């Protein structure tokens, strides 16, 4: 069955006809032509398809496009709108936080989401005190980024990159 | 993926009517489990009814001093709610121990307790599974049992060809905390509204492993109430898993100490969140010494039926969940 959906992707509105079975990820990549979010596992286990969905980081492989009609989506591509890199993107470059780069757009979107969640004071499993404002320690970043796998294992540089972008000592 | 029709009705009543009228219909909320099941072929609905924007996305104070959590509140929002962090730390900790940030931003209060087992055979449509395909048998009994049940199963190695055999566990962390908190589930269905005590929401496999809960087809969770805890109550959640993050529980323990009452729910050990009522009775009013807690949990686990399995079996869960309970209550006493 087909359905019409409107998605605003990186500031541009798109009206597309999709099969009801289409994931948000496939709608972005195959219908809208934005290949920034990547298809890794397609089962919600790797995080390569992470975008900012209505402001929060989310997996597009586990979201149906029809269920997100009207959504505002920012991909890693859209973070550098005017050619100027987002601080998280710059930090990934400065810290050499990737090797093959396949997981990087998902890592970057996830990191942007992490920094916003920390700014809001959201705790994590690694927070020593549930009621205190979280700090961007190594353990906090590692826990908060655990949904983004990197098969090159660039984690040792990803964690400092996220800390740098968040203004923490790394 | 099998084709399906999609509907986004304008009200809860309409959504309930849509699902009740179509035996092959399912509700969709955050989708983190259902969409995966659509892709795997585990779920093959005729109609998907989107309810994500129909129920409340607010956490409200109730008159009795508790909280009412709307079904659309995300797992992230609930874990971050200041009242939950301060008054129900067991729930915040359980939520934060589950999944990842990207998943918790999608997953909802109504959907999380209804997620299905992560038994690998349930998720593999090429293998027999009584939960997925009633009457086909249970592949787990002679397979990998590391993540499977030790409580609420009739014996070690039940008959794999019997239609009632199922040794799956419930995967939700949040549900273990809600069981210990004596939460109350608000449900709207074709026959009207009702409430279900959280401890009665999930079932043991009984004679129909395909049914995880007591909800009837077309019944929708609209909110979950957290009853007030007395002043000075303490609570905590501890989870033991194969990785430091983003893994389902091997075992977990939710504990609430409120006055003379001790409530303990065990995760990763049964088809449903397991309230350790025998242990609770033994501990009520007494001093929560390490010895007392260990003894009480050991008594609770005398009914355990560890499953052999080709991976060495899951007998390790008996000492593991005992030690985890001791550690959880020690933290609360400290």
């Amino acid at each position: 069955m087909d359905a019409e959906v409107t998605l605003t992707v990186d500031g541009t509105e798109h009206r597309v006809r999709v099969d009801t079975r289409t994931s948000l990820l496939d709608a972005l990549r195959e219908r809208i032509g934005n290949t920034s979010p990547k298809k890794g596992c397609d089962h919600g286990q790797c995080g390569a398809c992470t975008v900012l969905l209505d402001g929060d980081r989310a997996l597009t492989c586990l979201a149906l496009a029809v269920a997100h009609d009207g959504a505002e989506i920012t991909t890693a591509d859209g973070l550098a709108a005017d050619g100027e890199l987002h601080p998280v993107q710059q930090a990934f470059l400065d810290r050499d936080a990737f090797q093959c780069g396949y997981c990087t757009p998902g890592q970057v979107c996830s990191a942007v989401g992490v920094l916003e969640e920390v700014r809001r004071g959201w705790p994590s499993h690694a927070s020593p005190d549930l009621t205190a404002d979280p700090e961007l320690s190594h353990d906090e970043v590692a826990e908060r980024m655990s949904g983004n796998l990197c098969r090159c294992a660039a984690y040792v540089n990803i964690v400092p990159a996220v800390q740098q972008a968040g203004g923490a000592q790394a | 993926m099998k084709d399906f029709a999609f509907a986004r009705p304008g009200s809860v009543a309409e959504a309930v009517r849509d699902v009740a009228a179509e035996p092959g219909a399912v509700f969709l909320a955050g989708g983190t489990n259902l969409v995966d099941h659509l892709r795997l072929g585990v779920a093959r609905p005729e109609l998907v009814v989107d309810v994500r924007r129909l129920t409340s996305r607010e956490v409200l104070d109730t008159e009795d001093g508790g909280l009412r959590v709307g079904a659309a509140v995300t797992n992230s929002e609930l874990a971050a709610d200041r009242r939950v962090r301060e008054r129900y730390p067991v729930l915040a900790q359980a939520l934060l121990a589950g999944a990842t940030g990207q998943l918790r931003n999608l997953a909802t209060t109504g959907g999380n307790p209804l997620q299905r087992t992560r038994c690998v055979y349930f998720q593999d449509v090429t293998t027999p599974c009584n939960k997925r395909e009633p009457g086909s048998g249970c592949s787990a009994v002679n397979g990998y049992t590391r993540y499977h049940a030790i409580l609420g199963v009739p014996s070690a190695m039940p008959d794999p060809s019997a239609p009632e055999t199922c040794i799956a566990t419930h995967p939700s962390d949040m549900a273990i905390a809600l069981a210990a908190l004596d939460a109350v589930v608000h449900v709207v269905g074709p026959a009207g509204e009702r409430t279900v005590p959280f401890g009665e929401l999930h079932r043991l496999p009984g004679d129909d492993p395909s049914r995880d809960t007591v909800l009837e087809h077309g019944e929708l969770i609209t909110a979950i109430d957290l009853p007030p805890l007395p002043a000075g109550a303490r609570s905590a959640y501890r989870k033991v898993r194969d990785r430091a993050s983003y893994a389902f529980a091997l075992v977990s323990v939710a504990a609430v100490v409120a006055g003379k009452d001790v409530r303990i729910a065990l995760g990763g050990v049964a088809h449903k969140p397991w309230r350790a009522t025998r242990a609770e009775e033994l501990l009520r009013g007494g001093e929560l010494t390490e010895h007392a807690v260990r003894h009480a949990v050991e008594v609770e686990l005398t009914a355990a039926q560890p499953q052999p399995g080709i991976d060495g079996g899951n007998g390790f869960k008996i000492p593991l969940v005992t030690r985890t309970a001791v550690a959880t209550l020690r933290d609360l006493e400290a």
Side-chain angles (χ1 to χ4, degrees):
Chain A
M1 235 184 83
D2 281 0
E4 287 248 310
V5 295
T6 302
L7 300 170
T8 302
V9 182
D10 297 335
T12 305
E13 193 176 290
H14 300 266
R15 187 149 185 85
V16 288
R17 213 167 167 75
V18 293
D19 188 288
T20 50
R21 292 169 287 186
T22 309
S23 67
L24 204 46
L25 176 61
D26 284 343
L28 287 168
R29 290 180 59 86
E30 310 292 335
R31 305 307 305 271
I32 293 171
N34 184 326
T35 55
S36 172
K38 299 290 185 278
K39 187 180 282 189
C41 67
D42 215 18
H43 288 286
Q45 296 176 1
C46 76
C49 67
T50 303
V51 301
L52 299 168
L53 175 61
D54 295 323
D56 289 315
R57 57 185 174 142
L59 300 178
T60 49
C61 74
L62 293 184
L64 293 176
V66 280
H68 292 275
D69 185 22
E72 297 239 359
I73 293 163
T74 303
T75 70
D77 195 25
L79 288 170
D82 302 318
E84 182 150 343
L85 293 182
H86 185 281
V88 168
Q89 294 171 320
Q90 188 60 52
F92 269 62
L93 281 175
D94 293 347
R95 297 285 175 157
D96 199 14
F98 54 91
Q99 291 177 46
C100 83
Y102 190 82
C103 71
T104 309
Q107 299 274 4
V108 165
C109 285
S110 194
V112 172
V114 164
L115 296 181
E116 171 59 19
E117 289 162 15
V118 168
R119 194 194 61 75
R120 291 177 197 160
W122 287 11
S124 85
H125 177 66
S127 304
D129 179 353
L130 266 186
T131 55
D133 280 337
E135 288 175 20
L136 271 185
S137 66
H138 173 280
D139 288 358
E140 279 283 1
V141 174
E143 162 62 25
R144 290 169 190 266
M145 293 291 292
S146 73
N148 291 85
L149 302 187
C150 171
R151 285 309 288 136
C152 308
Y155 304 111
V156 69
N157 291 351
I158 291 171
V159 172
V162 178
Q163 289 177 299
Q164 176 186 314
Q169 288 292 325
Chain B
M1 199 188 298
K2 193 181 85 60
D3 200 7
F4 55 79
F6 182 87
R8 188 187 300 128
S11 69
V12 166
E14 212 182 312
V16 165
R17 230 176 10 248
D18 285 354
V19 170
E22 164 60 77
V26 292
F27 293 115
L28 170 73
T32 55
N33 195 208
L34 179 61
V35 174
D36 194 31
H37 284 169
L38 295 173
R39 195 165 289 136
L40 290 167
V42 170
R44 300 173 57 78
E46 300 293 332
L47 171 67
V48 172
V49 177
D50 186 4
V51 295
R52 189 170 57 96
R53 297 180 230 202
L54 298 184
T55 55
S56 164
R57 198 170 167 172
E58 283 186 300
V59 182
L60 300 174
D61 292 297
T62 55
E63 270 177 28
D64 63 3
L67 294 176
R68 173 159 300 172
V69 186
V73 173
T74 66
N75 288 179
S76 296
E77 290 163 348
L78 187 56
D81 188 284
R82 177 123 331 245
R83 293 160 295 180
V84 173
R85 286 195 261 164
E86 285 171 358
R87 282 145 58 185
Y88 305 96
V90 63
L91 179 57
Q93 288 167 354
L95 286 160
L96 294 171
T100 65
Q102 295 100 308
L103 287 163
R104 290 191 294 270
N105 283 342
L106 290 168
T108 63
T109 300
N112 182 312
L114 302 183
Q115 65 180 299
R116 315 232 35 210
T117 183
R118 293 315 194 281
C119 173
V120 292
Y121 305 99
F122 172 71
Q123 297 184 101
D124 176 357
V125 296
T126 66
T127 60
C129 168
N130 283 326
K131 185 179 280 301
R132 176 170 30 78
E133 211 173 308
S136 63
C138 174
S139 304
V141 168
N142 289 318
Y144 293 91
T145 60
R146 185 171 179 77
Y147 285 89
H148 289 76
I150 55 171
L151 288 165
V153 284
S155 62
M157 287 195 80
D159 178 3
S161 59
E164 68 275 10
T165 298
C166 176
I167 59 169
T169 50
H170 199 277
S172 166
D173 293 296
M174 178 198 193
I176 310 305
L178 291 176
L181 288 170
D182 282 333
V184 176
V185 184
H186 291 261
V187 176
V188 175
E193 295 181 32
R194 63 169 175 143
T195 56
V196 181
F198 197 85
E200 293 169 24
L201 178 66
H202 295 92
R203 318 169 57 249
L204 288 174
D207 58 3
D208 186 358
S210 71
R211 293 188 62 199
D212 297 349
T213 72
V214 299
L215 298 184
E216 301 293 338
H217 182 70
E219 282 194 312
L220 177 70
I221 294 177
T222 55
I224 295 183
D225 283 354
L226 308 179
L229 290 174
R234 288 152 293 146
S235 69
Y237 185 75
R238 238 180 205 263
K239 176 177 181 178
V240 182
R241 43 187 161 173
D242 278 329
R243 295 191 299 254
S245 184
Y246 197 20
F248 288 96
L250 289 167
V251 302
S252 68
V253 174
V256 178
V257 178
K260 284 190 185 332
D261 262 352
V262 183
R263 297 188 229 143
I264 301 173
L266 308 179
V269 295
H271 193 259
K272 63 176 191 178
W274 189 270
R275 269 294 285 269
T277 49
R278 292 179 72 185
E280 291 176 9
E281 275 163 36
L282 288 169
L283 292 170
R284 184 163 298 127
E287 218 180 312
L288 296 176
T289 62
E290 183 168 331
H291 177 78
V293 175
R294 182 180 306 280
H295 172 71
V297 176
E298 280 169 357
V299 170
E300 181 76 36
L301 293 173
T302 51
Q305 296 286 353
Q307 304 296 312
I310 54 172
D311 53 353
N314 64 14
F316 68 90
K317 287 189 177 185
I318 293 177
L320 185 59
V321 78
T322 308
R323 288 198 299 264
T324 306
V326 167
T328 311
L329 282 150
R330 190 179 51 214
D331 290 349
L332 286 182
E333 289 302 283

